[in-house]
Amino acid sequence: MAHNDQARRVALVTGASGGIGRATAERLGRDGMAVVVHYAGNQQRAEETVKAIVEAGGQASAVAADIGDPDQAAALFAEAEALRGGVDVVVNTAGIMILGPLAEMDVDDFDRMHRTNVRGAFLVSQQAARRLRPGGALINFSTSVTRLQQPGYAAYAATKGAVEAMTLILARELRGRDVTVNAVAPGPTATPLFLQGKSEQLIDQIASQGPMGRLGEPGDIAEVVAFLAGPGRWVNGQVLYANGGAA
């Protein structure tokens, strides 16, 4: 789609206050979309994302919501519609990651991940299915760990496996709606979520394992999202592994 085509569209990006979410929000803003920047708790970072989009010539607004709460998830979409007239693209990057061997994982930590990563993805997908305008796109987020099968990631990967299942089935449930539904599965990406708790040595080791010899950057993932949100209309019901060949 040309820039002028995108300029009539509205994108709602969850978890857009940092990392891949922020990079995606800024990328879609550069494409000409009006962006609704969702955040859960860090208003300052969300406003920084809005400022970056506006200073680059785009349109953006920040809206807070707990996407694990049905009423707040619905209110988030209602606010986006009130601000911008409708929603054409939903990018659901919001998620948390708690690592540890399955045998030692605290069930409360598992439940926290499930609430955001699975319940949140379900509620956002449900609202998107009900509200996206024709020509729209829903992009959920999985992880390449579902292929890499790294020790310590069992609980996290399980939540993302659930997201993949919901995404692929929803794409088929929306037959005739002219709405695409896909998931992006990043590999190791230099975000605060990934870097937290890792030594420089471990980060360098992970970066060297892939054929590209580096970690992904949030902007690398944002480019994949922009394709699915715009020109990639013939890609539907797929999981795209954006990992530089690491898996």
Side-chain angles (χ1 to χ4, degrees), residues 13-19 21-23 25 37-49 93:
V13 183
T14 72
S17 60
R22 175 169 178 168
V37 174
H38 160 265
Y39 66 99
N42 198 321
Q43 182 177 0
Q44 179 180 345
R45 289 201 307 172
E47 294 293 351
E48 289 170 358
T49 304
T93 76

Side-chain angles (χ1 to χ4, degrees), residues 62-215:
V63 179
D66 173 6
I67 62 167
D69 180 278
D71 293 335
Q72 292 194 40
L76 170 63
F77 278 76
E79 181 69 10
E81 290 170 342
L83 287 168
R84 301 294 176 184
V87 180
D88 302 285
V89 173
V90 174
V91 186
N92 188 34
T93 76
I96 62 174
M97 179 171 63
I98 303 171
L99 304 181
L102 187 148
E104 300 170 13
M105 175 65 63
D106 186 282
V107 70
D108 290 337
D109 287 339
F110 178 78
D111 286 345
R112 282 177 56 209
M113 280 194 290
H114 190 279
R115 188 179 191 280
T116 298
N117 298 0
V118 180
R119 180 183 170 98
F122 172 83
L123 292 172
V124 169
S125 296
Q126 186 177 65
Q127 291 297 321
R130 294 171 177 174
R131 297 175 183 258
L132 278 169
R133 294 187 287 205
L138 167 62
I139 299 117
N140 281 321
F141 265 71
S142 181
T143 173
S144 288
V145 175
T146 56
R147 282 188 175 183
L148 292 169
Q149 300 158 1
Q150 293 169 304
Y153 284 80
Y156 175 70
T159 68
K160 294 303 187 177
V163 171
E164 289 190 11
M166 286 190 290
T167 299
L168 300 183
I169 293 171
L170 180 58
R172 286 146 182 86
E173 291 180 346
L174 295 186
R175 173 187 291 271
R177 283 278 306 279
D178 190 24
V179 170
T180 61
V181 185
N182 295 288
V184 175
T189 306
T191 66
L193 185 69
F194 173 79
L195 298 174
Q196 182 179 1
K198 294 182 175 69
S199 67
E200 286 293 331
Q201 181 180 3
L202 178 59
I203 292 168
D204 290 343
Q205 177 185 343
I206 294 171
S208 66
Q209 288 174 347
M212 303 293 283
R214 67 172 178 87
L215 295 178

